Amino acid sequence: MGNGSERRETAWSGQAGARAFAAVEAATDWLLGYPFVFEALSRRMAGGPVADAVLVDYGCGPGQVAGQAARRLGVRVLGVDSSPEMLALARRTGTAVAEYHLVERGRVGCLPDGCADAAMCNHVLASLPTEEAVGAVLAEIRRLLRPAAPLVLLTTDPACGGVEYASLRVAGAQAPYRPGEEMTVRLRRTDGSWQEVRNHAWPVDVLPALLERAGFRDVVLHRPTVTEALDVADAELVRSRLWTGERARPPLVVTSAVAA
């Protein structure tokens, strides 16, 4: 998932990259990430989501999360991504209540201003090397949202290096990562092997300012725990592992805000 930055293209470009991304297990994300993104969206949408509500999934990748959001929230999802190969995979495997559009030169040209009632953006910031790049992505999301519509971001805390998570490893650092600094992340595949990906660090404490500069307000940061997941995540997934690392130091941050 991402905006088409050079680092994203290196990691997930072309058909092989799209297939590799679709083969990432993402167990930790499905425990402590995506279910809480859906919960935050539902809570932030005035009166809860309605049948004709439109949700933008910015950086939708091969569409698994977009499909789950459509089913769980009962909304129409517009998945957008800069990778034609990711979108082709999403269209082949995605749900009928989601549609997919290409991001070109940082803009979803076929979608008008204020067309969406909500947006989510999962693990996209990690592909962006500069504050300018982050700001451009957030500004495009803001363009697509109507006023007071919510945005929910899912990010990995760069400070969680050295902890062994079920499907994630963040490389440790002698000192805290600086905003945009390169960091190495290992992701577990469905076959049990691991894929190494070069990402960019965006420390949790810089997120509110980045959002506010892009035209968002009422920023709230939430670090979901395994205890909370007992009531939110899939019960079979919760029972499937001990989640030792996730219990010791939850690695994911769900950040919500509304369009000013």
Side-chain angles (χ1 to χ4, degrees):
M1 294 168 281
N3 81 321
S5 69
E6 291 180 0
R7 187 60 61 207
R8 157 65 188 277
E9 291 297 319
T10 299
W12 309 116
S13 61
Q15 293 183 358
R19 289 194 297 269
F21 189 89
V24 170
E25 182 189 65
T28 300
D29 289 294
W30 284 108
L31 180 79
L32 299 180
Y34 304 131
F36 292 91
V37 170
F38 303 152
E39 182 187 54
L41 286 167
S42 180
R43 186 172 60 252
R44 284 271 191 164
M45 295 175 76
V50 295
D52 59 350
V54 173
L55 168 67
V56 166
D57 181 4
Y58 193 99
C60 65
Q64 297 105 320
V65 181
Q68 284 291 327
R71 287 186 285 271
R72 295 192 187 194
L73 298 175
V75 297
R76 184 164 66 96
V77 178
L78 304 179
V80 305
D81 203 284
S82 62
S83 166
E85 294 82 7
M86 291 283 193
L87 293 176
L89 185 56
R91 292 186 182 106
R92 289 198 299 271
T93 61
T95 175
V97 291
E99 60 184 70
Y100 300 96
H101 302 276
L102 184 65
V103 180
E104 296 183 283
R105 295 180 293 277
R107 187 176 176 91
V108 193
C110 61
L111 296 182
D113 296 0
C115 66
D117 301 291
M120 63 181 179
C121 184
N122 300 307
H123 294 308
V124 171
L125 301 193
S127 70
L128 306 174
T130 65
E131 289 192 7
E132 291 76 14
V134 173
V137 165
L138 295 178
E140 175 62 1
I141 295 173
R142 174 62 189 88
R143 181 187 73 81
L144 296 171
L145 290 173
R146 61 171 176 76
L151 164 64
V152 180
L153 300 173
L154 179 62
T155 58
T156 300
D157 184 355
C160 287
V163 181
E164 293 188 1
Y165 299 106
S167 62
L168 171 70
R169 303 283 193 276
V170 178
Q174 295 299 318
Y177 283 106
R178 300 184 303 275
E181 183 178 358
E182 283 197 2
M183 69 177 188
T184 300
V185 174
R186 299 178 70 226
L187 303 174
R188 187 181 180 91
R189 299 187 183 101
T190 53
D191 65 3
S193 63
W194 292 82
Q195 175 159 345
E196 189 170 284
V197 181
R198 290 174 293 173
N199 278 350
H200 295 274
W202 291 102
V204 175
D205 60 0
V206 307
L207 299 179
L210 292 171
L211 284 160
E212 288 164 5
R213 285 203 294 269
F216 292 91
R217 59 177 174 81
D218 299 339
V219 180
V220 176
L221 300 167
H222 177 215
R223 189 187 299 270
T225 66
V226 175
T227 299
E228 292 174 302
L230 297 175
D231 297 322
V232 177
D234 179 77
E236 184 176 345
L237 175 65
V238 173
R239 292 192 299 266
S240 68
R241 313 171 191 229
L242 295 177
W243 307 107
T244 304
E246 287 81 358
R247 292 178 187 276
R249 184 176 176 84
L252 302 180
V253 179
V254 176
T255 304
S256 59
V258 297

